[in-house]
Amino acid sequence: MSLQTNSKVVTRFAPSPTGFLHIGSLRTALFNYVYAKQHGGKYVLRIEDTDKARNTPEFEKDIMDGLVWLGLQHDEFFRQSEHAGKHKIYLQKLIDNGAAYISKEKIEKEGDRAEVIRFKNPNKKVAFDDLIRGHVEFDTTELGDFVIAKSLDEPVFHFAVVADDFDEGITHVIRGEDHISNTPRQILIQEALGAPRPVYAHLPLILAEDRSKLSKRKHGEAVSLAYYRKLGYLKEALINFIGMLGWNPGNDEELLSLDDFISKFTIEKVQKGGAILNVEKLKWLNREYIKKMPTAELLNIVSAKMPNTQGEILERALPSIVDHISVFSDIDSLAASGEFNYLSNVDDYPKEKLFWKDESDGSVVINHFNFALETLKKLPAEPTAEQVKTALWDYASEKGRGQVLWPLRYALSGKDKSPDPFVLISILGTIQATERINAAIKKLS
Ligand code: GLU
C-alpha cells in the first residue's frame, strides 16, 4: 500500500490558524521537521485556512513566527485556501466516477433543503500500520455515507486534507492522536481518488500535570508558545523540552539540541500513553541553557533588565543572579521585590539587624567589623570569594561564625537574605565593601 519504494520522505505540519501556536502542535511540527531531516526529506508547512469563520491573519502570523523563531524552517509552504480549484476538480472526479454523490437534505432548524456532497461508503474494514500505535483496524460501516463537502466549493476538512496530502506528495502523516479517528475516512477518500496511502504516525496526547487533557479553556495561556516566549524561555530549552514530550533517547541524556534530535530521534520509540507537560522540567532545562550561554550575551540581557547596576559589579554578580532564576523574566520580579538592590546600594535598616540572635553589645560587633576592615586592606581590590573566605574563616570560627558573618553580611547587603559575605565582597569589591562596613560601624557608634 505504501509508496515508500524509492520515494523521498515528505512530511507536513498542517495547523489551522484558529488559535496561537499550541505546545501540542509544536511537538507535531518538531517531529515532522526532524523526521524529514533525518531521512534527507522535505518538510512542508501547510496552513489549513479553510474555516473562514475562525481563521485570523494574527494566528497565522503567530504560528509562522513561532516556527521560524525555533528554527523549524519549512522547505515548502502552502495555504489550503489556494487549492480551492484543485479541490473542486477532485470532488467532481469522485462524483463522476460514482464514489460520491450530491444529496439534497433538509436542514433541521430552518426546514430548508440544501445540497451536500456525500461519500459513498464502501462499508469495509480499513486497516493501517501506525508507526507508533501499531496495527489499527476500523470498520467504516458505522460512518455511513459521510459528508465530504457542503458544495463543490466547500470541501470539509477530511477531503481537503486528503487532496492536499496527495498533491503535495506527502509520504508520512505525523499528527496528534486526536486525528486517529479521522484516518479511516481519509483512507477511503484516498482510495477513491487513487492517491497513494501515506505512512501514519499518531502522537500521544499531551496532558497537564493532573493528567487532564491540555486545553486552552482549562490551562489558559500556558498552552501557547507565545506565553513561554514572552517569559523569556530560550528556544534551545523549548525545543529540548517539546522534543521529549513522549519520546526520550533511551538513556539518561537530558540536554538535546535540534541537531541531536535529528540524529537520535526514533519515531517507533514514541510512547503511546499521554505525555505530561511538566513545567518544572522546562524550568530546569532553561536554567541549564542559561548556564551554557556565553558571559557577554548573558551580561547583555541581564544589564538591560538592571540598568542601575554598575557593569563590573553586574558581571561579578552574574553567577549569583543566574543561581536565582529559571527564566529571564524572574529577574524582573526579583528586581521589583528589591532582591538585587544590594548590587547598587544598601537599603536603610535598623541597627538591631546587625546583632546575631541575642547579641546586644555593639562594641563586640564593631570589633568584628574592624577585623574585617583590616582584612580587606590586605586583599586585592577585587578578590575572589574563596580568597575572602580564606582570610576571614579562622577568625569567624574562633569568634563564632554567626556572630561574625551575620553582621558582616547584613552590613554589606542590608537584607535578611543575600549571598554570603564572601561572595558579597567578591561582587562589590573591597572599596565598596569597606564603605558599607564603615556605615554600619557608624550606626552602632
Ligand atoms: N489542521 C489540522 C489541525 O490543526 C491538522 C490536520 C492533519 O494533520 O491532518 O488539527
Side-chain angles (χ1 to χ4, degrees), residues 371-372 374-376 378-379 383-396 422:
F371 180 83
E374 284 311 307
T375 306
L376 289 182
K378 292 179 219 146
L379 286 169
T384 63
E386 219 23 65
Q387 285 173 314
V388 182
K389 186 170 179 180
T390 308
L392 288 173
W393 195 249
D394 288 347
Y395 178 84
F422 316 123

mmCIF file with all atom_site columns, all heavy atoms in Angstrom, residues 371-372 374-376 378-379 383-396 422:
data_model
loop_
_atom_site.group_PDB
_atom_site.id
_atom_site.type_symbol
_atom_site.label_atom_id
_atom_site.label_alt_id
_atom_site.label_comp_id
_atom_site.label_asym_id
_atom_site.label_entity_id
_atom_site.label_seq_id
_atom_site.pdbx_PDB_ins_code
_atom_site.Cartn_x
_atom_site.Cartn_y
_atom_site.Cartn_z
_atom_site.occupancy
_atom_site.B_iso_or_equiv
_atom_site.pdbx_formal_charge
_atom_site.auth_seq_id
_atom_site.auth_comp_id
_atom_site.auth_asym_id
_atom_site.auth_atom_id
_atom_site.pdbx_PDB_model_num
ATOM 1   N N   . PHE A 1 371 ? 38.052 43.967 62.349 1.00 0.00 ? 371 PHE A N   1
ATOM 2   C CA  . PHE A 1 371 ? 38.904 42.891 61.840 1.00 0.00 ? 371 PHE A CA  1
ATOM 3   C C   . PHE A 1 371 ? 38.675 42.733 60.334 1.00 0.00 ? 371 PHE A C   1
ATOM 4   O O   . PHE A 1 371 ? 39.619 42.602 59.547 1.00 0.00 ? 371 PHE A O   1
ATOM 5   C CB  . PHE A 1 371 ? 38.605 41.563 62.559 1.00 0.00 ? 371 PHE A CB  1
ATOM 6   C CG  . PHE A 1 371 ? 39.462 40.446 62.043 1.00 0.00 ? 371 PHE A CG  1
ATOM 7   C CD1 . PHE A 1 371 ? 40.752 40.254 62.520 1.00 0.00 ? 371 PHE A CD1 1
ATOM 8   C CD2 . PHE A 1 371 ? 39.002 39.604 61.013 1.00 0.00 ? 371 PHE A CD2 1
ATOM 9   C CE1 . PHE A 1 371 ? 41.564 39.242 61.994 1.00 0.00 ? 371 PHE A CE1 1
ATOM 10  C CE2 . PHE A 1 371 ? 39.816 38.617 60.479 1.00 0.00 ? 371 PHE A CE2 1
ATOM 11  C CZ  . PHE A 1 371 ? 41.100 38.429 60.982 1.00 0.00 ? 371 PHE A CZ  1
ATOM 12  N N   . ALA A 1 372 ? 37.388 42.787 59.953 1.00 0.00 ? 372 ALA A N   1
ATOM 13  C CA  . ALA A 1 372 ? 37.065 42.636 58.527 1.00 0.00 ? 372 ALA A CA  1
ATOM 14  C C   . ALA A 1 372 ? 37.714 43.763 57.716 1.00 0.00 ? 372 ALA A C   1
ATOM 15  O O   . ALA A 1 372 ? 38.296 43.527 56.641 1.00 0.00 ? 372 ALA A O   1
ATOM 16  C CB  . ALA A 1 372 ? 35.553 42.631 58.322 1.00 0.00 ? 372 ALA A CB  1
ATOM 17  N N   . GLU A 1 374 ? 40.421 45.453 58.390 1.00 0.00 ? 374 GLU A N   1
ATOM 18  C CA  . GLU A 1 374 ? 41.870 45.197 58.304 1.00 0.00 ? 374 GLU A CA  1
ATOM 19  C C   . GLU A 1 374 ? 42.149 44.129 57.241 1.00 0.00 ? 374 GLU A C   1
ATOM 20  O O   . GLU A 1 374 ? 43.092 44.238 56.459 1.00 0.00 ? 374 GLU A O   1
ATOM 21  C CB  . GLU A 1 374 ? 42.424 44.733 59.659 1.00 0.00 ? 374 GLU A CB  1
ATOM 22  C CG  . GLU A 1 374 ? 42.587 45.860 60.689 1.00 0.00 ? 374 GLU A CG  1
ATOM 23  C CD  . GLU A 1 374 ? 43.329 47.073 60.126 1.00 0.00 ? 374 GLU A CD  1
ATOM 24  O OE1 . GLU A 1 374 ? 44.442 46.884 59.581 1.00 0.00 ? 374 GLU A OE1 1
ATOM 25  O OE2 . GLU A 1 374 ? 42.755 48.196 60.189 1.00 0.00 ? 374 GLU A OE2 1
ATOM 26  N N   . THR A 1 375 ? 41.290 43.118 57.248 1.00 0.00 ? 375 THR A N   1
ATOM 27  C CA  . THR A 1 375 ? 41.469 42.012 56.288 1.00 0.00 ? 375 THR A CA  1
ATOM 28  C C   . THR A 1 375 ? 41.317 42.523 54.855 1.00 0.00 ? 375 THR A C   1
ATOM 29  O O   . THR A 1 375 ? 42.098 42.163 53.964 1.00 0.00 ? 375 THR A O   1
ATOM 30  C CB  . THR A 1 375 ? 40.420 40.906 56.552 1.00 0.00 ? 375 THR A CB  1
ATOM 31  O OG1 . THR A 1 375 ? 40.514 40.541 57.928 1.00 0.00 ? 375 THR A OG1 1
ATOM 32  C CG2 . THR A 1 375 ? 40.644 39.703 55.675 1.00 0.00 ? 375 THR A CG2 1
ATOM 33  N N   . LEU A 1 376 ? 40.314 43.375 54.650 1.00 0.00 ? 376 LEU A N   1
ATOM 34  C CA  . LEU A 1 376 ? 40.051 43.885 53.299 1.00 0.00 ? 376 LEU A CA  1
ATOM 35  C C   . LEU A 1 376 ? 41.265 44.627 52.753 1.00 0.00 ? 376 LEU A C   1
ATOM 36  O O   . LEU A 1 376 ? 41.565 44.565 51.556 1.00 0.00 ? 376 LEU A O   1
ATOM 37  C CB  . LEU A 1 376 ? 38.825 44.805 53.291 1.00 0.00 ? 376 LEU A CB  1
ATOM 38  C CG  . LEU A 1 376 ? 37.460 44.128 53.498 1.00 0.00 ? 376 LEU A CG  1
ATOM 39  C CD1 . LEU A 1 376 ? 36.325 45.155 53.416 1.00 0.00 ? 376 LEU A CD1 1
ATOM 40  C CD2 . LEU A 1 376 ? 37.216 43.046 52.453 1.00 0.00 ? 376 LEU A CD2 1
ATOM 41  N N   . LYS A 1 378 ? 44.242 43.964 53.111 1.00 0.00 ? 378 LYS A N   1
ATOM 42  C CA  . LYS A 1 378 ? 45.313 43.053 52.646 1.00 0.00 ? 378 LYS A CA  1
ATOM 43  C C   . LYS A 1 378 ? 44.913 42.278 51.380 1.00 0.00 ? 378 LYS A C   1
ATOM 44  O O   . LYS A 1 378 ? 45.731 41.578 50.798 1.00 0.00 ? 378 LYS A O   1
ATOM 45  C CB  . LYS A 1 378 ? 45.639 42.050 53.757 1.00 0.00 ? 378 LYS A CB  1
ATOM 46  C CG  . LYS A 1 378 ? 46.292 42.709 54.958 1.00 0.00 ? 378 LYS A CG  1
ATOM 47  C CD  . LYS A 1 378 ? 46.559 41.666 56.026 1.00 0.00 ? 378 LYS A CD  1
ATOM 48  C CE  . LYS A 1 378 ? 46.273 42.241 57.413 1.00 0.00 ? 378 LYS A CE  1
ATOM 49  N NZ  . LYS A 1 378 ? 45.732 41.254 58.337 1.00 0.00 ? 378 LYS A NZ  1
ATOM 50  N N   . LEU A 1 379 ? 43.636 42.408 51.012 1.00 0.00 ? 379 LEU A N   1
ATOM 51  C CA  . LEU A 1 379 ? 43.176 41.642 49.839 1.00 0.00 ? 379 LEU A CA  1
ATOM 52  C C   . LEU A 1 379 ? 43.287 42.477 48.563 1.00 0.00 ? 379 LEU A C   1
ATOM 53  O O   . LEU A 1 379 ? 43.294 43.711 48.630 1.00 0.00 ? 379 LEU A O   1
ATOM 54  C CB  . LEU A 1 379 ? 41.702 41.246 50.036 1.00 0.00 ? 379 LEU A CB  1
ATOM 55  C CG  . LEU A 1 379 ? 41.404 40.126 51.039 1.00 0.00 ? 379 LEU A CG  1
ATOM 56  C CD1 . LEU A 1 379 ? 39.904 40.038 51.304 1.00 0.00 ? 379 LEU A CD1 1
ATOM 57  C CD2 . LEU A 1 379 ? 41.932 38.791 50.525 1.00 0.00 ? 379 LEU A CD2 1
ATOM 58  N N   . PRO A 1 383 ? 38.749 40.729 45.080 1.00 0.00 ? 383 PRO A N   1
ATOM 59  C CA  . PRO A 1 383 ? 39.153 39.370 45.465 1.00 0.00 ? 383 PRO A CA  1
ATOM 60  C C   . PRO A 1 383 ? 38.117 38.347 45.012 1.00 0.00 ? 383 PRO A C   1
ATOM 61  O O   . PRO A 1 383 ? 36.967 38.702 44.732 1.00 0.00 ? 383 PRO A O   1
ATOM 62  C CB  . PRO A 1 383 ? 39.153 39.447 46.992 1.00 0.00 ? 383 PRO A CB  1
ATOM 63  C CG  . PRO A 1 383 ? 38.131 40.486 47.323 1.00 0.00 ? 383 PRO A CG  1
ATOM 64  C CD  . PRO A 1 383 ? 38.178 41.485 46.201 1.00 0.00 ? 383 PRO A CD  1
ATOM 65  N N   . THR A 1 384 ? 38.535 37.108 44.962 1.00 0.00 ? 384 THR A N   1
ATOM 66  C CA  . THR A 1 384 ? 37.537 36.046 44.724 1.00 0.00 ? 384 THR A CA  1
ATOM 67  C C   . THR A 1 384 ? 36.883 35.735 46.067 1.00 0.00 ? 384 THR A C   1
ATOM 68  O O   . THR A 1 384 ? 37.446 36.033 47.130 1.00 0.00 ? 384 THR A O   1
ATOM 69  C CB  . THR A 1 384 ? 38.199 34.751 44.204 1.00 0.00 ? 384 THR A CB  1
ATOM 70  O OG1 . THR A 1 384 ? 39.079 34.270 45.233 1.00 0.00 ? 384 THR A OG1 1
ATOM 71  C CG2 . THR A 1 384 ? 38.988 34.992 42.928 1.00 0.00 ? 384 THR A CG2 1
ATOM 72  N N   . ALA A 1 385 ? 35.720 35.113 45.984 1.00 0.00 ? 385 ALA A N   1
ATOM 73  C CA  . ALA A 1 385 ? 35.018 34.742 47.223 1.00 0.00 ? 385 ALA A CA  1
ATOM 74  C C   . ALA A 1 385 ? 35.888 33.792 48.039 1.00 0.00 ? 385 ALA A C   1
ATOM 75  O O   . ALA A 1 385 ? 35.928 33.858 49.268 1.00 0.00 ? 385 ALA A O   1
ATOM 76  C CB  . ALA A 1 385 ? 33.686 34.080 46.878 1.00 0.00 ? 385 ALA A CB  1
ATOM 77  N N   . GLU A 1 386 ? 36.619 32.951 47.343 1.00 0.00 ? 386 GLU A N   1
ATOM 78  C CA  . GLU A 1 386 ? 37.495 31.984 48.012 1.00 0.00 ? 386 GLU A CA  1
ATOM 79  C C   . GLU A 1 386 ? 38.584 32.689 48.812 1.00 0.00 ? 386 GLU A C   1
ATOM 80  O O   . GLU A 1 386 ? 38.876 32.339 49.960 1.00 0.00 ? 386 GLU A O   1
ATOM 81  C CB  . GLU A 1 386 ? 38.120 31.091 46.914 1.00 0.00 ? 386 GLU A CB  1
ATOM 82  C CG  . GLU A 1 386 ? 38.270 29.625 47.211 1.00 0.00 ? 386 GLU A CG  1
ATOM 83  C CD  . GLU A 1 386 ? 37.366 29.024 48.277 1.00 0.00 ? 386 GLU A CD  1
ATOM 84  O OE1 . GLU A 1 386 ? 36.138 29.008 48.041 1.00 0.00 ? 386 GLU A OE1 1
ATOM 85  O OE2 . GLU A 1 386 ? 37.877 28.594 49.326 1.00 0.00 ? 386 GLU A OE2 1
ATOM 86  N N   . GLN A 1 387 ? 39.175 33.721 48.192 1.00 0.00 ? 387 GLN A N   1
ATOM 87  C CA  . GLN A 1 387 ? 40.228 34.487 48.893 1.00 0.00 ? 387 GLN A CA  1
ATOM 88  C C   . GLN A 1 387 ? 39.658 35.142 50.154 1.00 0.00 ? 387 GLN A C   1
ATOM 89  O O   . GLN A 1 387 ? 40.307 35.163 51.200 1.00 0.00 ? 387 GLN A O   1
ATOM 90  C CB  . GLN A 1 387 ? 40.797 35.581 47.966 1.00 0.00 ? 387 GLN A CB  1
ATOM 91  C CG  . GLN A 1 387 ? 41.716 35.044 46.881 1.00 0.00 ? 387 GLN A CG  1
ATOM 92  C CD  . GLN A 1 387 ? 42.121 36.143 45.896 1.00 0.00 ? 387 GLN A CD  1
ATOM 93  O OE1 . GLN A 1 387 ? 41.288 36.924 45.435 1.00 0.00 ? 387 GLN A OE1 1
ATOM 94  N NE2 . GLN A 1 387 ? 43.414 36.186 45.582 1.00 0.00 ? 387 GLN A NE2 1
ATOM 95  N N   . VAL A 1 388 ? 38.471 35.704 50.039 1.00 0.00 ? 388 VAL A N   1
ATOM 96  C CA  . VAL A 1 388 ? 37.863 36.378 51.187 1.00 0.00 ? 388 VAL A CA  1
ATOM 97  C C   . VAL A 1 388 ? 37.599 35.361 52.287 1.00 0.00 ? 388 VAL A C   1
ATOM 98  O O   . VAL A 1 388 ? 37.881 35.579 53.467 1.00 0.00 ? 388 VAL A O   1
ATOM 99  C CB  . VAL A 1 388 ? 36.545 37.083 50.797 1.00 0.00 ? 388 VAL A CB  1
ATOM 100 C CG1 . VAL A 1 388 ? 35.961 37.812 51.995 1.00 0.00 ? 388 VAL A CG1 1
ATOM 101 C CG2 . VAL A 1 388 ? 36.755 38.044 49.639 1.00 0.00 ? 388 VAL A CG2 1
ATOM 102 N N   . LYS A 1 389 ? 37.080 34.245 51.863 1.00 0.00 ? 389 LYS A N   1
ATOM 103 C CA  . LYS A 1 389 ? 36.745 33.211 52.848 1.00 0.00 ? 389 LYS A CA  1
ATOM 104 C C   . LYS A 1 389 ? 37.996 32.752 53.594 1.00 0.00 ? 389 LYS A C   1
ATOM 105 O O   . LYS A 1 389 ? 38.000 32.669 54.828 1.00 0.00 ? 389 LYS A O   1
ATOM 106 C CB  . LYS A 1 389 ? 36.093 32.027 52.130 1.00 0.00 ? 389 LYS A CB  1
ATOM 107 C CG  . LYS A 1 389 ? 35.575 30.985 53.077 1.00 0.00 ? 389 LYS A CG  1
ATOM 108 C CD  . LYS A 1 389 ? 34.735 29.959 52.334 1.00 0.00 ? 389 LYS A CD  1
ATOM 109 C CE  . LYS A 1 389 ? 34.249 28.903 53.329 1.00 0.00 ? 389 LYS A CE  1
ATOM 110 N NZ  . LYS A 1 389 ? 33.438 27.879 52.681 1.00 0.00 ? 389 LYS A NZ  1
ATOM 111 N N   . THR A 1 390 ? 39.057 32.480 52.857 1.00 0.00 ? 390 THR A N   1
ATOM 112 C CA  . THR A 1 390 ? 40.301 32.025 53.482 1.00 0.00 ? 390 THR A CA  1
ATOM 113 C C   . THR A 1 390 ? 40.785 33.056 54.500 1.00 0.00 ? 390 THR A C   1
ATOM 114 O O   . THR A 1 390 ? 41.225 32.715 55.592 1.00 0.00 ? 390 THR A O   1
ATOM 115 C CB  . THR A 1 390 ? 41.391 31.816 52.396 1.00 0.00 ? 390 THR A CB  1
ATOM 116 O OG1 . THR A 1 390 ? 40.824 30.991 51.394 1.00 0.00 ? 390 THR A OG1 1
ATOM 117 C CG2 . THR A 1 390 ? 42.655 31.198 52.946 1.00 0.00 ? 390 THR A CG2 1
ATOM 118 N N   . ALA A 1 391 ? 40.637 34.337 54.127 1.00 0.00 ? 391 ALA A N   1
ATOM 119 C CA  . ALA A 1 391 ? 41.159 35.389 55.007 1.00 0.00 ? 391 ALA A CA  1
ATOM 120 C C   . ALA A 1 391 ? 40.303 35.562 56.270 1.00 0.00 ? 391 ALA A C   1
ATOM 121 O O   . ALA A 1 391 ? 40.816 35.999 57.300 1.00 0.00 ? 391 ALA A O   1
ATOM 122 C CB  . ALA A 1 391 ? 41.220 36.707 54.226 1.00 0.00 ? 391 ALA A CB  1
ATOM 123 N N   . LEU A 1 392 ? 39.010 35.251 56.187 1.00 0.00 ? 392 LEU A N   1
ATOM 124 C CA  . LEU A 1 392 ? 38.135 35.512 57.345 1.00 0.00 ? 392 LEU A CA  1
ATOM 125 C C   . LEU A 1 392 ? 37.768 34.260 58.151 1.00 0.00 ? 392 LEU A C   1
ATOM 126 O O   . LEU A 1 392 ? 37.284 34.361 59.270 1.00 0.00 ? 392 LEU A O   1
ATOM 127 C CB  . LEU A 1 392 ? 36.827 36.176 56.875 1.00 0.00 ? 392 LEU A CB  1
ATOM 128 C CG  . LEU A 1 392 ? 36.906 37.629 56.409 1.00 0.00 ? 392 LEU A CG  1
ATOM 129 C CD1 . LEU A 1 392 ? 35.570 38.061 55.813 1.00 0.00 ? 392 LEU A CD1 1
ATOM 130 C CD2 . LEU A 1 392 ? 37.276 38.558 57.574 1.00 0.00 ? 392 LEU A CD2 1
ATOM 131 N N   . TRP A 1 393 ? 37.976 33.111 57.573 1.00 0.00 ? 393 TRP A N   1
ATOM 132 C CA  . TRP A 1 393 ? 37.398 31.889 58.127 1.00 0.00 ? 393 TRP A CA  1
ATOM 133 C C   . TRP A 1 393 ? 37.885 31.568 59.547 1.00 0.00 ? 393 TRP A C   1
ATOM 134 O O   . TRP A 1 393 ? 37.078 31.278 60.432 1.00 0.00 ? 393 TRP A O   1
ATOM 135 C CB  . TRP A 1 393 ? 37.653 30.720 57.179 1.00 0.00 ? 393 TRP A CB  1
ATOM 136 C CG  . TRP A 1 393 ? 36.795 29.538 57.519 1.00 0.00 ? 393 TRP A CG  1
ATOM 137 C CD1 . TRP A 1 393 ? 37.210 28.343 58.027 1.00 0.00 ? 393 TRP A CD1 1
ATOM 138 C CD2 . TRP A 1 393 ? 35.383 29.447 57.387 1.00 0.00 ? 393 TRP A CD2 1
ATOM 139 N NE1 . TRP A 1 393 ? 36.158 27.517 58.228 1.00 0.00 ? 393 TRP A NE1 1
ATOM 140 C CE2 . TRP A 1 393 ? 34.999 28.164 57.839 1.00 0.00 ? 393 TRP A CE2 1
ATOM 141 C CE3 . TRP A 1 393 ? 34.390 30.324 56.949 1.00 0.00 ? 393 TRP A CE3 1
ATOM 142 C CZ2 . TRP A 1 393 ? 33.675 27.736 57.867 1.00 0.00 ? 393 TRP A CZ2 1
ATOM 143 C CZ3 . TRP A 1 393 ? 33.073 29.890 56.971 1.00 0.00 ? 393 TRP A CZ3 1
ATOM 144 C CH2 . TRP A 1 393 ? 32.726 28.625 57.424 1.00 0.00 ? 393 TRP A CH2 1
ATOM 145 N N   . ASP A 1 394 ? 39.197 31.621 59.763 1.00 0.00 ? 394 ASP A N   1
ATOM 146 C CA  . ASP A 1 394 ? 39.729 31.231 61.077 1.00 0.00 ? 394 ASP A CA  1
ATOM 147 C C   . ASP A 1 394 ? 39.192 32.156 62.161 1.00 0.00 ? 394 ASP A C   1
ATOM 148 O O   . ASP A 1 394 ? 38.779 31.724 63.235 1.00 0.00 ? 394 ASP A O   1
ATOM 149 C CB  . ASP A 1 394 ? 41.269 31.269 61.083 1.00 0.00 ? 394 ASP A CB  1
ATOM 150 C CG  . ASP A 1 394 ? 41.828 30.114 60.263 1.00 0.00 ? 394 ASP A CG  1
ATOM 151 O OD1 . ASP A 1 394 ? 41.026 29.196 59.932 1.00 0.00 ? 394 ASP A OD1 1
ATOM 152 O OD2 . ASP A 1 394 ? 43.030 30.137 59.926 1.00 0.00 ? 394 ASP A OD2 1
ATOM 153 N N   . TYR A 1 395 ? 39.172 33.463 61.828 1.00 0.00 ? 395 TYR A N   1
ATOM 154 C CA  . TYR A 1 395 ? 38.680 34.449 62.797 1.00 0.00 ? 395 TYR A CA  1
ATOM 155 C C   . TYR A 1 395 ? 37.212 34.148 63.129 1.00 0.00 ? 395 TYR A C   1
ATOM 156 O O   . TYR A 1 395 ? 36.823 34.082 64.299 1.00 0.00 ? 395 TYR A O   1
ATOM 157 C CB  . TYR A 1 395 ? 38.816 35.860 62.211 1.00 0.00 ? 395 TYR A CB  1
ATOM 158 C CG  . TYR A 1 395 ? 38.273 36.951 63.129 1.00 0.00 ? 395 TYR A CG  1
ATOM 159 C CD1 . TYR A 1 395 ? 39.067 37.488 64.159 1.00 0.00 ? 395 TYR A CD1 1
ATOM 160 C CD2 . TYR A 1 395 ? 36.975 37.430 62.964 1.00 0.00 ? 395 TYR A CD2 1
ATOM 161 C CE1 . TYR A 1 395 ? 38.555 38.477 64.999 1.00 0.00 ? 395 TYR A CE1 1
ATOM 162 C CE2 . TYR A 1 395 ? 36.456 38.416 63.795 1.00 0.00 ? 395 TYR A CE2 1
ATOM 163 C CZ  . TYR A 1 395 ? 37.249 38.951 64.811 1.00 0.00 ? 395 TYR A CZ  1
ATOM 164 O OH  . TYR A 1 395 ? 36.747 39.907 65.642 1.00 0.00 ? 395 TYR A OH  1
ATOM 165 N N   . ALA A 1 396 ? 36.407 33.913 62.104 1.00 0.00 ? 396 ALA A N   1
ATOM 166 C CA  . ALA A 1 396 ? 34.968 33.651 62.309 1.00 0.00 ? 396 ALA A CA  1
ATOM 167 C C   . ALA A 1 396 ? 34.766 32.358 63.093 1.00 0.00 ? 396 ALA A C   1
ATOM 168 O O   . ALA A 1 396 ? 33.906 32.283 63.972 1.00 0.00 ? 396 ALA A O   1
ATOM 169 C CB  . ALA A 1 396 ? 34.248 33.583 60.971 1.00 0.00 ? 396 ALA A CB  1
ATOM 170 N N   . PHE A 1 422 ? 31.306 36.453 51.844 1.00 0.00 ? 422 PHE A N   1
ATOM 171 C CA  . PHE A 1 422 ? 32.495 36.260 50.982 1.00 0.00 ? 422 PHE A CA  1
ATOM 172 C C   . PHE A 1 422 ? 32.131 36.588 49.534 1.00 0.00 ? 422 PHE A C   1
ATOM 173 O O   . PHE A 1 422 ? 32.851 37.293 48.831 1.00 0.00 ? 422 PHE A O   1
ATOM 174 C CB  . PHE A 1 422 ? 33.001 34.808 51.091 1.00 0.00 ? 422 PHE A CB  1
ATOM 175 C CG  . PHE A 1 422 ? 33.029 34.286 52.501 1.00 0.00 ? 422 PHE A CG  1
ATOM 176 C CD1 . PHE A 1 422 ? 32.339 33.131 52.850 1.00 0.00 ? 422 PHE A CD1 1
ATOM 177 C CD2 . PHE A 1 422 ? 33.730 34.976 53.489 1.00 0.00 ? 422 PHE A CD2 1
ATOM 178 C CE1 . PHE A 1 422 ? 32.350 32.666 54.152 1.00 0.00 ? 422 PHE A CE1 1
ATOM 179 C CE2 . PHE A 1 422 ? 33.747 34.511 54.798 1.00 0.00 ? 422 PHE A CE2 1
ATOM 180 C CZ  . PHE A 1 422 ? 33.039 33.351 55.133 1.00 0.00 ? 422 PHE A CZ  1
#
